[in-house]
Amino acid sequence: MTETMRADARRNHERVLDAARAAFAEQGTDVSLREVARRADVGIGTLYRHFPTREALIEAAMRHGLDALCARADELRDTRSPGDALVEWLAAFAASSVRYDGLPASLLGALEDERSELHRSCQSMREAAAGLLRRAQQAGEARPDVTAGDLLTLTAGIAWANQQGGARDDRTGRLLDIARTGLLRSPARHSPSNVGLKG
């Protein structure tokens, strides 16, 4: 492959990603891939050469946000109490999940489908959640019977439910607050105002 061909391939890759992010924001992750290709001004075959499945395209479009969530987990581990770090990270995960209509459902499906390209990225989320959860459990601040998979499924489910109504921020905060009271052993110490669930 010549340098010119490689440069063209890189440009097409970025054009498809930019078009996908815009289309996902406007129409959700179920938008037609032909529409994404049209916006990127490439053929559908070019799109599939770069992203063979819808899940691969979603994963690539979200990768920066997923990396940021993993970095956020490390930051919270160093700056918050175990319980606060856990619920604040879950709030950040929920906020990221509602960015595109349909994304929570895609995440929920990918968590259970090991063949999905999105499943591999969900593993980094599972590891981030597991580290924060383990720390909270060891400190006696979180229920010992909860798993990282439980947390991701619950939070993605809350984000999905939030997309079915209108007031996303208010509903997400309220549902996360309800989940928090069942997750933490000392809920009075972790009010939503302290961890930003309403904001």
Side-chain angles (χ1 to χ4, degrees), residues 65-82:
L66 295 174
D67 290 345
L69 278 171
C70 290
R72 182 66 174 148
D74 292 336
E75 177 187 345
L76 290 169
R77 190 178 298 113
D78 295 336
T79 60
R80 299 289 193 276
S81 70

Side-chain angles (χ1 to χ4, degrees), residues 7 14 19 30 41 45 52 85 96 98-99 112 130 144 157 162 167 172 177 188 197:
E14 291 306 315
D30 289 332
D41 196 24
S96 178
V98 298
R99 183 178 306 158
E112 304 302 326
N162 193 46
T172 297
D177 186 32
L197 293 184

Side-chain angles (χ1 to χ4, degrees), residues 34-112:
R34 289 190 179 278
E35 170 63 12
V36 174
R38 185 193 66 78
R39 287 174 179 241
D41 196 24
V42 301
I44 189 67
T46 297
L47 183 151
Y48 279 119
R49 276 196 297 276
H50 290 280
F51 306 103
T53 66
R54 180 181 300 275
E55 289 77 15
L57 182 57
I58 294 172
E59 190 277 335
M62 282 195 58
R63 189 173 300 144
H64 178 75
L66 295 174
D67 290 345
L69 278 171
C70 290
R72 182 66 174 148
D74 292 336
E75 177 187 345
L76 290 169
R77 190 178 298 113
D78 295 336
T79 60
R80 299 289 193 276
S81 70
D84 286 348
L86 179 60
V87 293
E88 190 165 338
W89 186 84
L90 291 176
F93 177 62
S96 178
S97 298
V98 298
R99 183 178 306 158
Y100 304 131
D101 283 341
L103 180 58
S106 296
L107 293 173
L108 285 170
L111 282 169
E112 304 302 326

Side-chain angles (χ1 to χ4, degrees), residues 14-36:
E14 291 306 315
R15 286 164 66 180
V16 171
L17 272 182
D18 289 343
R21 293 185 185 105
F24 291 163
E26 292 177 19
Q27 302 180 40
T29 56
D30 289 332
V31 64
S32 164
L33 295 187
R34 289 190 179 278
E35 170 63 12
V36 174

Side-chain angles (χ1 to χ4, degrees), residues 57-185:
L57 182 57
I58 294 172
E59 190 277 335
M62 282 195 58
R63 189 173 300 144
H64 178 75
L66 295 174
D67 290 345
L69 278 171
C70 290
R72 182 66 174 148
D74 292 336
E75 177 187 345
L76 290 169
R77 190 178 298 113
D78 295 336
T79 60
R80 299 289 193 276
S81 70
D84 286 348
L86 179 60
V87 293
E88 190 165 338
W89 186 84
L90 291 176
F93 177 62
S96 178
S97 298
V98 298
R99 183 178 306 158
Y100 304 131
D101 283 341
L103 180 58
S106 296
L107 293 173
L108 285 170
L111 282 169
E112 304 302 326
D113 184 2
E114 295 183 0
R115 298 166 298 176
S116 168
E117 288 88 346
L118 197 52
H119 177 82
R120 292 191 287 271
S121 288
C122 284
Q123 286 301 102
S124 64
M125 295 298 96
R126 191 187 300 268
E127 291 168 9
L132 293 172
L133 175 62
R134 186 164 50 248
R135 179 170 172 258
Q137 288 171 330
Q138 290 171 348
E141 295 185 25
R143 286 174 46 167
D145 59 331
V146 176
T147 69
D150 292 336
L151 291 181
L152 294 185
T153 300
L154 176 64
T155 308
I158 287 173
W160 175 86
N162 193 46
Q163 288 187 339
Q164 310 313 301
R168 294 186 177 182
D169 290 341
D170 290 343
R171 177 177 287 189
T172 297
R174 179 174 177 274
L175 293 176
L176 282 170
D177 186 32
I178 293 170
R180 172 190 57 78
T181 61
L183 171 63
L184 299 183
R185 285 184 156 180

